[in-house]
Amino acid sequence: MDTKLYIKELVEKGREAQNKFESFSQERVDEIVREIGKVIYDRAEELARMAVEETGMGVYEDKILKNKGKSKLIWNNLRNKKSVGIIDEDKEKALIMIAKPKGVVAAVTPCTNPIVTPMCNSMFALKGRNSIIVAPHPRAKKCAKYIVELFNKAIVKLGAPENLIQVIEEPSIESTSELMNVVDVVVATGGMGMVKSAYSSGKPAYGVGAGNVQCIIDRDIDIKEASKKIIEGRIFDNGIICSGEQSIIAHEKEYDSIIKEFENQGAYYIEDEETVDKFRQVLFPDGRINGKIVGQSVRVIAELAKVEVSENIRVIILKPRGIGKEDVLCKEKMCPVMVAFKYKTLEEALDIAQTNLNLEGKGHSCAIHSNNMDNIKEAGNKLTVSRLVVNQPSSTSAGGGLYNGFAPTTTLGCGSWGNNSISENLDYKHLINVSRVGYIRDNVKVPTDLEIWNK
């Protein structure tokens, strides 16, 4: 196959579809965007099963929840937003804002999230009257091909142009790279190599950095409730989500009682260095994450480490040798395994979290369980993260929810800390151009130079 010719044809088809779609009204655009989310919502069980079977990662029941949850959250967030024509008018500044498409969007999607990431990217792209071409991970190509077929079958009935959503059916590094070079904008969700390639494509790009969510437990909280939320976050979909909790940072005076509560709720806490090292070698052979453990269960990981664990264990908690570069276990672990640390002061807790972030995950997210607003603000001020999740399971909240103000998404920007172009959750607004019409403001009192420079 001639890769360049194949990609050229996809982009030409996408551009033709986008040119037609650009004339659609807000009402028609929203009707089509809604249908994309509804396809995933209505087929949540089927698509969850397909994702687990093709990728060999995650938990079927959790993927159902993810399919239903993300589809409804994203649509709920998009349905009342203007993205066609005049979207805002600021009379005080004498400005009119007019939304316009960016064109053809390339969406590079991961095997860790093979259903909702293509859905999310498609909803955002079409909300802005763009067309989109999905470049899936080879390990999730069947899922991508199938859902794109479902999308098109559903939206064509609503009058959407043919080829508004396309997919590279036999993805490769070569085809994905070529696609990124010739579209109008790139959204890359996946490994850092692919994200770096997206930023090197010469096209506007939105990529994400690695996660490594540090979780601080303050002294004024309900330990039972906090432990429950942290475990829920860590084990969701076998810990495959980038915003999942990676560590427990607890005050030294409550450390033992906190660990005991985690054990009461199904954690297996390991201090013995010989046993900890068995997990270390399995999780990070040669210092890099082992692909065989990503999205796998406690049982599978324990078997690989040759460590016996009882059937009721939900998460493994390891005591590391130190923080940051002192132990590879301080990196992101995309499975139901955590590490635990003690701190004496909030300053030390923040230092532990930041040191681990400096090793991996800088710019992504942190979590804190606290009722002390001063401490929460201090953490928000000191930590180099784009989002601080407070008193919630980070894995299922950092990407937006009904109970917080984060924009619902599957793509979480990490700012310049993570070599990303945005430090917020990717949204439809990142996939539109805005023309600003400025006219002369009436009745403006123009300050003198003296007034401008006067302290």
Side-chain angles (χ1 to χ4, degrees):
M1 181 182 71
D2 186 327
T3 300
K4 285 195 173 184
L5 180 60
Y6 172 66
I7 296 300
K8 181 175 183 249
E9 289 175 351
L10 285 181
V11 173
E12 286 177 350
K13 290 176 182 177
R15 204 166 298 287
E16 182 180 352
Q18 191 276 318
N19 287 336
K20 295 177 182 177
F21 191 46
E22 190 167 348
S23 66
F24 279 40
S25 67
Q26 184 75 71
E27 183 180 12
R28 293 189 71 194
V29 166
D30 286 351
E31 187 179 25
I32 289 168
V33 172
R34 175 188 180 278
E35 195 65 21
I36 295 170
K38 198 66 165 56
V39 164
I40 302 302
Y41 185 88
D42 289 342
R43 293 175 176 261
E45 292 83 1
E46 174 195 3
L47 297 174
R49 178 70 65 194
M50 187 175 186
V52 172
E53 289 177 353
E54 184 178 14
T55 68
M57 302 177 187
V59 180
Y60 168 67
E61 293 80 6
D62 290 346
K63 288 189 184 296
I64 294 173
L65 294 174
K66 190 191 297 185
N67 291 344
K68 285 185 174 290
K70 280 296 180 185
S71 57
K72 70 180 183 183
L73 283 172
I74 291 172
W75 169 242
N76 184 60
N77 187 54
L78 293 180
R79 61 179 177 171
N80 295 319
K81 302 291 195 311
K82 293 180 179 180
S83 61
V84 176
I86 296 175
I87 58 173
D88 194 17
E89 185 170 359
D90 188 331
K91 293 184 178 179
E92 183 179 345
K93 293 183 179 179
L95 287 173
I96 298 173
M97 276 63 82
I98 304 173
K100 298 173 184 177
K102 288 202 169 184
V104 181
V105 177
V108 184
T109 60
C111 59
T112 53
N113 220 5
I115 303 298
V116 295
T117 299
M119 175 206 72
C120 175
N121 293 163
S122 296
M123 293 176 78
F124 290 162
L126 268 60
K127 179 73 174 179
R129 292 176 295 162
N130 305 288
S131 63
I132 185 169
I133 302 171
V134 177
H137 191 284
R139 194 170 166 180
K141 64 182 182 181
K142 292 180 183 178
C143 286
K145 181 176 183 293
Y146 183 57
I147 62 171
V148 167
E149 288 174 352
L150 292 177
F151 291 158
N152 283 316
K153 185 178 179 180
I155 66 176
V156 164
K157 293 178 182 178
L158 301 175
E162 189 179 0
N163 299 317
L164 196 58
I165 306 174
Q166 298 180 88
V167 62
I168 297 177
E169 295 187 5
E170 293 296 333
S172 65
I173 293 174
E174 183 184 5
S175 61
T176 298
S177 297
E178 179 62 23
L179 178 68
M180 292 191 295
N181 289 334
V182 295
V183 294
D184 298 304
V185 62
V186 179
V187 178
T189 311
M192 289 308 297
M194 184 56 70
V195 172
K196 185 176 180 181
S197 179
Y199 282 121
S200 302
S201 67
K203 301 294 182 178
Y206 298 104
V208 296
N212 188 19
V213 177
Q214 305 301 301
C215 184
I216 298 170
I217 300 178
D218 207 349
R219 302 193 65 185
D220 60 343
I221 51 90
D222 181 330
I223 293 174
K224 184 175 182 179
E225 183 64 22
S227 302
K228 177 176 179 289
K229 291 176 180 177
I230 293 167
I231 291 176
E232 285 177 355
R234 175 65 286 187
I235 69 173
F236 187 82
D237 210 12
N238 275 345
I240 209 168
I241 300 176
C242 62
S243 55
E245 291 84 343
Q246 300 290 325
S247 70
I248 299 163
I249 305 173
H251 194 275
E252 60 181 7
K253 290 187 177 179
E254 280 96 33
Y255 184 86
D256 291 341
S257 59
I258 287 172
I259 293 298
K260 182 65 177 174
E261 183 54 47
F262 271 90
E263 291 177 327
N264 290 341
Q265 297 192 38
Y268 181 32
Y269 177 61
I270 305 172
E271 286 186 314
D272 175 63
E273 174 55 26
E274 184 178 345
T275 308
V276 170
D277 195 55
K278 289 181 179 180
F279 283 100
R280 184 183 289 113
Q281 296 306 318
V282 165
L283 294 170
F284 296 101
D286 303 319
R288 301 179 66 180
I289 193 166
N290 182 357
K292 293 180 180 179
I293 62 91
V294 175
Q296 302 305 312
S297 67
V298 165
R299 204 77 51 246
V300 168
I301 295 163
E303 287 175 1
L304 289 170
K306 295 181 170 54
V307 176
E308 289 189 16
V309 299
S310 61
E311 292 186 2
N312 65 332
I313 296 301
R314 305 167 68 202
V315 62
I316 295 168
I317 302 174
L318 305 174
K319 183 179 180 181
R321 295 181 183 135
I323 64 175
K325 294 180 180 178
E326 295 171 354
D327 197 330
V328 71
L329 288 172
C330 296
K331 297 176 71 174
E332 181 183 28
K333 301 160 289 297
M334 300 179 72
C335 58
V337 178
M338 305 182 75
V339 288
F341 306 92
K342 297 178 183 179
Y343 71 86
K344 292 183 175 66
T345 64
L346 178 66
E347 182 180 6
E348 184 180 8
L350 296 177
D351 180 65
I352 293 169
Q354 186 62 58
T355 302
N356 290 340
L357 287 170
N358 291 343
L359 177 66
E360 187 170 57
K362 195 174 181 181
H364 201 291
S365 309
C366 271
I368 186 169
H369 291 263
S370 175
N371 293 314
N372 186 319
M373 187 53 69
D374 288 339
N375 288 353
I376 293 169
K377 289 179 179 179
E378 183 70 2
N381 184 50
K382 291 291 180 66
L383 296 170
T384 58
V385 291
S386 298
R387 54 200 66 77
L388 179 66
V389 181
V390 181
N391 297 333
Q392 303 162 74
S394 179
S395 70
T396 53
S397 299
L402 294 173
Y403 298 100
N404 66 42
F406 299 129
T409 193
T410 57
T411 303
L412 286 71
C414 302
S416 60
W417 300 300
N419 295 317
N420 294 171
S421 56
I422 58 172
S423 59
E424 59 183 325
N425 291 0
L426 183 83
D427 198 359
Y428 77 98
K429 67 178 180 288
H430 298 108
L431 297 180
I432 58 174
N433 288 314
V434 178
S435 294
R436 289 165 177 81
V437 179
Y439 49 94
I440 295 175
R441 292 188 291 172
D442 296 326
N443 303 318
V444 174
K445 181 182 181 301
V446 178
T448 65
D449 287 9
L450 183 60
E451 288 172 330
I452 290 173
W453 293 107
N454 188 12
K455 292 183 179 180

